[in-house]
Amino acid sequence: MLKAGILGGGQLGRMLLQEAANYPVETYVLENEEDCPAAHLCHHFVKGDINKYNDVYDFGKELDVLTIEIESVNLEALEKLETEGVKVYPRPSALKIIKNKILQKHFYTEHQINTPPFIIVQNRTELIRETSKLPAILKLSEGGYDGRGVQLLKTANDLQMGFDAPAVVEEWIDIDKEIAVIIGVNEEKQSAVFPPVEMIFDPVLNLLDYQVCPAGISEELMNQVKAIALKSVSFFHSPGIFAVEMFISKEGRLYVNETAPRVHNSGHHTIEGNYSSQYDMLWRILLGYPFGNTAIIEYSALVNLIGEKNAYGQARYCGLHEVLAMNNTFVHLYGKKLTRPGRKMGHVTLIGNDKQALMEKARSVKRVLKVIA
């Protein structure tokens, strides 16, 4: 039986493990928190730090294959394990580029992939000196996640409060739509593409608020989005699951925003909305099985459940009974005991054959279901 390890035990690891029950695989999780969402679903839980060389190396050396649920892992240990015959998906060479936003931006320009114009700064002094065009977006080179590590720069005062660390300064793009595409790549460099989704973000928290699949764009634009996503992923030369996030400007231009080298929040809906989910697809890739069917079953919408403002402490879910009573509505709670403002606590997927009615229902879920303390 294949011995497969996951670095990180959060909600993505939890959902990946739920899918693992369908396959002949023995699962291992490395995570520092013993009560993490994925801990009770794996065959073997190992307490350790995914950023420490020895913890990652010792965890992986007896395994057949390793994957990740978050980019902030020890690269050197993964590189060593790969040289010793452990399969690491995504490959460390791809992860090295993606986890560093400076390297990732240079990667796009090197391969002629359209991305918002940018400059690189090493500290706040350079930021103030070099940034002449506002508004702009400031992104930390490393460590940003779920809206953290990103700042909107509108005024000179914002520059004074900018990150004092290596970062990317992106030119402001007047965005019409934000799109994400999940792509699976196997050892033979074959690809499976999921239908693109349209994402709507919370403007304050910079977190996904809700999304709909497929995206509300023309067939011509849909084909362009898929082609650009495939091109972007192909240059990483790595098996695995990738999520490519893009902007469509008000002028209709496509820009690649960033890529995630793992199962992704923008693919949660595939559990109920597609014949094969992104989690199922990753296990197929890890095991060397044929791709699953990425087609949609029906339209789907997703609502993120995040901690309410001023909610600190033991999580309570107001409106849960009402939402569970709705037809074709699927609640996923991540098993996190404590909530705080903006913390992702779960999501709700809805499916149906009427896209407009589905979005109205998603907005209803957003109004009814609240995470409080």
Side-chain angles (χ1 to χ4, degrees):
M1 184 177 289
L2 187 84
K3 293 182 178 180
I6 303 172
L7 297 178
Q11 72 268 17
L12 292 167
R14 175 190 177 101
M15 284 180 276
L16 190 56
L17 287 165
Q18 287 172 336
E19 198 69 56
N22 296 321
Y23 292 104
V25 59
E26 189 175 355
T27 55
Y28 297 71
V29 167
L30 178 68
E31 174 60 64
N32 202 39
E33 297 181 14
E34 294 180 347
D35 61 347
C36 67
H40 69 286
L41 291 177
C42 61
H43 294 103
H44 308 279
F45 176 81
V46 178
K47 182 175 169 52
D49 191 336
I50 61 175
N51 287 290
K52 290 184 177 179
Y53 179 95
N54 287 339
D55 287 0
V56 173
Y57 178 75
D58 290 341
F59 173 73
K61 62 186 180 182
E62 302 298 330
L63 302 180
D64 300 308
V65 63
L66 267 176
T67 191
I68 63 171
E69 68 130 31
I70 189 170
E71 289 90 327
S72 58
V73 297
N74 190 284
L75 266 178
E76 291 74 20
L78 293 181
E79 289 170 340
K80 177 65 172 173
L81 289 165
E82 188 176 48
T83 65
E84 294 178 355
V86 178
K87 291 183 178 180
V88 182
Y89 296 166
R91 290 188 174 130
S93 56
L95 185 56
K96 182 178 181 179
I97 296 168
I98 293 174
K99 73 179 295 190
N100 183 303
K101 285 187 170 60
I102 293 175
L103 294 179
Q104 191 177 155
K105 294 293 281 190
H106 285 314
F107 171 86
Y108 296 140
T109 55
E110 177 187 348
H111 294 289
Q112 299 180 325
I113 297 165
N114 199 36
T115 192
F118 66 95
I119 61 170
I120 303 301
V121 295
Q122 297 301 319
N123 48 51
R124 188 179 295 132
T125 301
E126 280 193 24
L127 173 67
I128 296 168
R129 185 178 68 238
E130 301 294 338
T131 305
S132 58
K133 190 174 181 179
L134 296 175
I137 302 294
L138 181 65
K139 297 179 178 179
L140 276 177
S141 176
E142 294 201 24
Y145 187 71
D146 276 352
R148 295 183 290 274
V150 178
Q151 291 178 332
L152 172 59
L153 307 175
K154 290 184 176 180
T155 67
N157 186 59
D158 291 334
L159 291 174
Q160 297 287 343
M161 300 298 292
F163 301 126
D164 192 18
V168 174
V169 185
E170 280 187 359
E171 184 178 306
W172 174 264
I173 301 295
D174 198 3
I175 299 171
D176 181 39
K177 293 180 184 291
E178 298 195 40
I179 307 294
V181 186
I182 303 292
I183 296 179
V185 182
N186 65 16
E187 279 275 12
E188 288 72 43
K189 300 182 181 180
Q190 298 166 327
S191 301
V193 184
F194 286 85
V197 303
E198 183 176 341
M199 305 180 294
I200 296 89
F201 283 82
D202 184 305
V204 176
L205 297 172
N206 196 31
L207 285 173
L208 180 69
D209 208 355
Y210 58 90
Q211 70 182 31
V212 61
C213 180
I217 55 179
S218 68
E219 185 176 351
E220 179 184 359
L221 199 51
M222 188 80 77
N223 290 333
Q224 290 180 39
V225 165
K226 291 179 181 179
I228 291 171
L230 280 166
K231 178 183 178 182
S232 302
V233 168
S234 69
F235 289 116
F236 289 118
H237 304 296
S238 172
I241 291 286
F242 296 86
V244 184
E245 296 181 328
M246 301 184 200
F247 300 141
I248 302 176
S249 73
K250 291 289 178 63
E251 293 77 28
R253 294 197 68 191
L254 277 168
Y255 298 88
V256 172
N257 176 31
E258 58 187 44
T259 302
R262 52 175 171 78
V263 290
H264 192 255
N265 295 335
S266 63
H268 283 334
H269 68 287
T270 59
I271 298 172
E272 289 89 17
N274 299 64
Y275 290 99
S276 175
S277 73
Q278 64 168 347
Y279 306 99
D280 172 69
M281 190 70 77
L282 181 54
W283 284 117
R284 287 169 176 263
I285 292 167
L286 296 176
L287 288 156
Y289 289 177
F291 288 136
N293 183 359
T294 61
I296 65 169
I297 299 170
E298 287 189 298
Y299 294 121
S300 63
L302 179 142
V303 177
N304 247 1
L305 301 181
I306 60 176
E308 289 290 302
K309 184 179 180 181
N310 299 322
Y312 294 91
Q314 195 78 19
R316 289 181 54 214
Y317 298 89
C318 290
L320 183 59
H321 285 273
E322 292 90 329
V323 171
L324 287 171
M326 297 178 181
N327 290 332
N328 297 326
T329 302
F330 307 89
V331 178
H332 296 264
L333 303 181
Y334 298 156
K336 299 175 181 178
K337 296 180 180 178
L338 301 178
T339 187
R340 61 177 181 270
R343 189 181 194 196
K344 282 199 277 190
M345 303 297 291
H347 72 267
V348 179
T349 306
L350 309 92
I351 62 172
N353 56 19
D354 184 320
K355 194 173 183 179
Q356 185 60 39
L358 193 66
M359 291 310 298
E360 291 175 5
K361 192 174 177 183
R363 286 188 282 269
S364 177
V365 169
K366 187 74 178 174
R367 289 192 301 269
V368 170
L369 185 52
K370 304 290 183 182
V371 185
I372 64 171

